[in-house]
């Protein structure tokens, strides 16, 4: 593997944290290694009748927990090194948020904008078939999900293809997550990664001492934010930050960026993009022709939410943000990461911050395996319990509540958690708990948050190896 490989970059971050653990070299090497990589190629008959060879990959990094889990991306950057690095990040990510999976990642080396809907369907179905043939997919084996360049539509095709060839149709729905709601998906999965990124940033900004050290006030309110990438993750992160009172001052997309120190209305930018196919020329904002220069503009929080290697040795010294919140996977090279620490910037690391996606994938997988919507069995019971409490209060205070309101509660309307509410609270609880865990590791070892996060991951994976007889 070349020195500058993405996988090598992830391993450098791992090694830095491993120094703060006391596991044997052998075990650390096993945790770091990528267990299997499958590179396949197959023909696509294009709509015009021509044949094109498609290159696709799936890497399974660690089976210390099974199934393995991780998204599938459609991007021209996809190669063996990239999927190995991203699969490794998935192992660490799942460990950090206590989601019981090993890490995996897949990808197809295409720019989806160059293919018709039916071509994308043929590519996705063939890819699934190739994975199934080699036992690289299955509810207890390896479970894909959306990633850069894929959506719930691809997940539906994956499920449908898998279902048609599996011997175990009962659990087939759990072979992939990120499916559309109504087609086995769980409510809240689409926005989950961005929602999780928001919770992570909120937790970080709520610690007074940390904000003070950065010269910032506590809380989200009034913080100036630049988001790189207005895809699913970038959009939802910006949306929740804006709703919490942050000011979106800059947005970067592949064709350029826009900046307005007084703030941009996210909704208006999205509408403008719908009308013109670009965020550029948004009224009242300045165009930044070179998309990358947007990252260097003045702000408090920079959210890279696109691809890897966006902040590197060449541009790191020009980054003005005080907090870099890694919504994307691997947006900062390990050298740039070290430079940012020296510059006094707080980096909230990807392995923690974008774990909301896989957390809600886990809820979807559980729903699929249990064949019941979250909350279906308990919702009415919760309403009855609420009613009982109110009746006890009535007795205590010797007063009667409005019977119409009580009947309403008893009917379950507005009481008892819905699936969306359960998913949201499970996600919030996970992100808040994990933040304080990695923060505690960082504080006790006097290291940055990324190293704290990796220490947490390494210790948990090492425990996974020592449990369940993985070593014969
Ligand atoms: N692709 C997402 C990630 O990088 C989600 C993976 C999943 O849900 O399995 O975390």
């Amino acid at each position: 593997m070349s020195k500058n490989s993405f996988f090598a970059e992830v391993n450098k971050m791992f090694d830095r944290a491993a120094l703060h653990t006391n596991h044997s070299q052998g075990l650390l090497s096993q945790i770091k290694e990528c267990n299997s990589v499958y590179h396949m190629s197959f023909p696509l008959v294009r709509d015009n009748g021509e044949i094109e060879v498609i290159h696709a990959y799936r890497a399974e990094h660690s089976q210390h927990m099974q199934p393995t889990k991780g998204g599938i991306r459609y991007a021209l950057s996809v190669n063996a090194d990239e999927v190995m690095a991203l699969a490794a990040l998935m192992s660490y990510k799942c460990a950090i948020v206590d989601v019981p999976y090993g890490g995996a990642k897949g990808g197809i080396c295409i720019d989806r904008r160059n293919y018709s809907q039916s071509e994308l369907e043929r590519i996705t179905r063939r890819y699934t078939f190739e994975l199934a043939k080699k036992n690289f997919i299955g509810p207890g084996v390896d479970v894909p999900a959306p990633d850069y360049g894929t959506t719930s539509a691809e997940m539906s095709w994956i499920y449908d293809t898998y279902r048609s060839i599996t011997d175990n149709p009962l659990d087939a729905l759990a072979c992939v997550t990120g499916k559309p709601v109504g087609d086995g998906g769980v409510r809240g999965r689409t926005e989950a990664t961005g929602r999780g990124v928001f919770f992570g940033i909120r937790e970080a900004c709520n610690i007074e001492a940390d904000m003070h050290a950065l010269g910032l006030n506590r809380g989200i309110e009034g913080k100036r934010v630049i988001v790189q990438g207005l895809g699913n993750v970038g959009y939802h992160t910006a949306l929740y930050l804006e709703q919490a009172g942050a000011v979106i001052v800059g947005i970067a997309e592949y064709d350029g960026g826009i900046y307005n120190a007084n703030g941009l209305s996210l909704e208006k930018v999205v509408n403008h993009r719908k009308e013109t196919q670009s965020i550029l020329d948004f009224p009242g904002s300045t165009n930044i022709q070179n998309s990358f220069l947007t990252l260097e503009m003045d702000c408090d929080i920079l959210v890279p939410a696109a691809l890897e290697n966006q902040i590197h040795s060449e541009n790191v010294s020009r980054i003005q943000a005080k907090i870099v919140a890694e919504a994307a996977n691997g947006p900062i090279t390990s050298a740039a990461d070290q430079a940012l620490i020296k510059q006094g910037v707080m980096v909230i690391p990807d392995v923690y911050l974008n774990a909301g996606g896989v957390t809600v994938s886990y809820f979807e997988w559980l729903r699929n395996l249990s064949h019941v919507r979250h909350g279906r069995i308990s919702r009415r019971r919760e309403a009855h319990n609420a009613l009982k409490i109110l009746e006890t209060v009535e007795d205590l205070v010797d007063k009667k509540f409005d019977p119409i309101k009580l009947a309403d509660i008893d009917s379950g309307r507005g009481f008892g958690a819905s699936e969306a509410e359960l998913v949201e609270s499970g996600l919030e609880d996970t992100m808040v708990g994990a933040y304080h865990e990695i923060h505690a590791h960082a504080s006790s070892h006097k290291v940055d948050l990324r190293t704290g996060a990796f220490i947490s991951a390494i210790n948990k994976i090492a425990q996974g190896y020592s449990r369940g007889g993985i070593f014969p």
Side-chain angles (χ1 to χ4, degrees), residues 450-468:
R450 188 191 311 282
T451 309
F454 270 85
I455 294 172
S456 168
I458 293 170
N459 287 340
K460 288 183 190 175
I461 296 176
Q463 248 175 41
Y465 269 109
S466 65
R467 252 196 324 258

Side-chain angles (χ1 to χ4, degrees), residues 69-71 90 93 105 145-147 189 329 357-358 361:
K69 186 92 188 75
M90 284 308 303
K93 191 185 300 188
K105 192 70 119 203
D147 197 83
R189 175 63 185 86
N329 288 307
V358 75
S361 275

